Amino acid sequence: YQEAEPDVSLVFNFDSSGTLKTQIQEGADCDLFLSASPKQMEQLEELDFILPESRINLLENKVVLVTPEGNDKAVGSFDSLAEHLKAGDILLAMGNSDVPVGQYTGKILSWYGLNEQELAADGLITYGSNVKEVVSQVCEGSVDAGVIYSTDAFSAGLTPKDEASEEMCGQVIYPASVLASSGHPDEAKAFLDFLSG
């Protein structure tokens, strides 16, 4: 894009969608928001922080189950993860409830009839403040399994053991929108058009 538009400077800020949403609400200088979940985008839209006419569903991802090298518990699917959690003999890494990957994981646990709060109280769940922290726990082997995005598994060289269905956790949509406070709305919209092309 910078070859096509050399006069446009792109500055990126990467973090969990919840953290980015909070930064935007607190006045961070930002032109375009790309969220890992519609929830944060909808919250900003309700508060008039985005230009609704610019909002698009830009990408789709998948929620996957990963395990560390060795996989001592032989966790090969979400079904087997649920069985291990019911038996109380596993440690699962998942995102906090304020980040999309944690929200998707919570839906998966509910789909299996599992109570996240009880599992956490029993010491069967450890949390990450973003998906990268969950990936780190899996790669370090400090947990038996983790729930992350397919793209993060690919980036970390982890082979997914299973992929959550839409029935289990919904569609994983990444919406994007130009912010109402943007000082460069035309340039932001042009970049968003480029990303969606």
Side-chain angles (χ1 to χ4, degrees), residues 99-171:
V99 297
V101 75
Q103 293 157 11
Y104 291 121
T105 307
K107 288 178 183 177
I108 293 168
L109 294 174
S110 293
W111 191 78
Y112 280 103
L114 296 164
N115 184 305
E116 179 187 337
Q117 286 72 31
E118 288 176 8
L119 294 170
D122 290 342
L124 303 177
I125 294 177
T126 179
Y127 292 94
S129 62
N130 57 47
V131 73
K132 300 289 183 215
E133 287 184 12
V134 178
V135 169
S136 293
Q137 291 179 51
V138 173
C139 290
E140 292 165 359
S142 59
V143 295
D144 299 304
V147 180
I148 61 174
Y149 296 118
S150 177
T151 49
D152 291 284
F154 177 80
S155 296
L158 294 166
T159 302
K161 300 295 180 186
D162 200 1
E163 183 179 287
S165 67
E166 188 175 335
E167 182 184 14
M168 292 164 74
C169 68
Q171 243 185 320

Side-chain angles (χ1 to χ4, degrees), residues 1 56-59 176 188-197:
Y1 188 74
I56 62 169
N57 289 333
L58 184 63
L59 301 166
K189 180 70 171 83
F191 182 55
L192 184 53
D193 289 343
F194 174 82
L195 292 177
S196 63

Side-chain angles (χ1 to χ4, degrees), residues 3-75:
E3 287 177 15
E5 298 290 341
D7 294 334
V8 175
S9 176
L10 300 175
V11 180
F12 298 99
N13 178 20
F14 298 103
D15 212 319
S16 74
S17 300
T19 299
L20 294 173
K21 178 189 80 81
T22 299
Q23 290 174 356
I24 290 166
Q25 287 178 270
E26 292 177 352
D29 188 17
C30 180
D31 299 294
L32 187 65
F33 177 49
L34 174 57
S35 178
S37 168
K39 179 181 178 182
Q40 285 76 15
M41 189 66 75
E42 286 158 8
Q43 290 169 337
L44 288 176
E45 187 169 353
E46 286 173 14
L47 298 168
D48 296 324
F49 276 92
I50 68 165
L51 297 176
E53 66 275 10
S54 71
R55 181 179 170 178
I56 62 169
N57 289 333
L58 184 63
L59 301 166
E60 182 178 1
N61 209 339
K62 299 292 181 189
V63 174
V64 298
L65 174 68
V66 292
T67 59
E69 199 172 316
N71 191 8
D72 296 338
K73 302 286 183 180
V75 178

